Amino acid sequence: MPPFVLHSPEVLLSVPTSADIDRIAAVCTDPAIAEWTTVPSPYTRADAETFVTGMVVDGWARETMFTWAVRAPGQPDGTVLGMMAIGLIPGGPGDAHAGEIGFWTAPDARGRGLTTAAGRLAADWALDPSGLALERLQWRGFEGNWASRRVAWKLGFRYEGLLRRHGVRNGTVCDDWIASLLPEDPREASEPWPQEAATS
């Protein structure tokens, strides 16, 4: 599948290119991204180059992972403000066509609602019959990743529970939260989730 652009009045999603490598390399050295995602740490320019020219290109070509750079509205070649991806989950239960959403946000783009707007675009396309036509879209986050949890909650994901010793965070086995969004679910926060710790 050739990459394509998704856009709304709030945000634009376009495939990351070689022109974005230096920006991605710089952003992914952010301590929060290193702590809460599975990107390599420490992150190097070579990691960013492998991501853009290998993982992104291969994912689109094989139709297994659809990755976009999050950019300002109307700027398909603008500064990378975050990353958004939908990956297919092989071997799902029955004939269900399932996928998983993943994202990170640059430090200078946080708190502006961009990731929620980008996630809405990607999720709507993934669940739309004229898009990927997924029967289930899931979100997973390391336990304690409240920022990612808030995005998933705003998008309407329904909390399903704790996956004990399911994730690997900085080389250490840890627990994951998991939630899902189905085509018929409302795209708005609708269910209670675990309460954020007062110290977060």
Side-chain angles (χ1 to χ4, degrees):
M1 179 185 297
F4 56 86
V5 171
L6 294 172
H7 61 87
S8 71
E10 296 82 21
V11 73
L12 182 143
L13 305 184
S14 63
V15 67
T17 70
S18 57
D20 300 313
I21 288 174
D22 287 337
R23 168 67 173 175
I24 293 169
V27 168
C28 286
T29 63
D30 172 63
I33 291 177
E35 181 175 8
W36 296 113
T37 74
T38 57
V39 302
S41 181
Y43 199 88
T44 67
R45 190 183 191 281
D47 292 321
E49 187 170 2
T50 297
F51 170 69
V52 170
T53 63
M55 293 176 62
V56 172
V57 172
D58 291 347
W60 281 95
R62 296 176 182 174
E63 299 187 5
T64 56
M65 177 74 73
F66 308 92
T67 304
W68 296 272
V70 179
R71 308 180 198 270
Q75 299 184 27
D77 300 313
T79 300
V80 173
L81 304 175
M83 205 63 59
M84 181 66 56
I86 301 288
L88 298 187
I89 301 173
D95 294 326
H97 194 36
E100 182 168 294
I101 192 168
F103 47 83
W104 53 253
T105 309
D108 56 0
R110 293 172 189 158
R112 294 156 53 182
L114 295 174
T115 306
T116 301
R120 186 166 290 112
L121 281 174
D124 285 348
W125 171 74
L127 294 169
D128 194 302
S130 62
L132 281 181
L134 297 183
E135 291 293 334
R136 170 187 166 90
L137 183 63
Q138 73 179 31
W139 164 90
R140 285 184 301 130
F142 298 138
E143 184 184 20
N145 188 351
W146 295 104
S148 184
R149 184 222 78 138
R150 282 191 293 272
V151 171
W153 178 67
K154 289 176 185 177
L155 293 175
F157 280 78
R158 297 188 179 194
Y159 180 71
E160 294 181 335
L162 187 72
L163 300 174
R164 297 185 301 161
R165 298 183 185 174
H166 184 271
V168 179
R169 179 180 170 197
N170 297 324
T172 301
V173 175
C174 65
D175 297 338
D176 282 346
W177 286 324
I178 187 167
S180 68
L181 186 66
L182 306 184
E184 64 270 22
D185 289 340
R187 305 293 202 275
E188 59 188 20
S190 61
E191 286 197 337
W193 278 46
Q195 294 299 304
E196 184 169 353
T199 56
S200 297

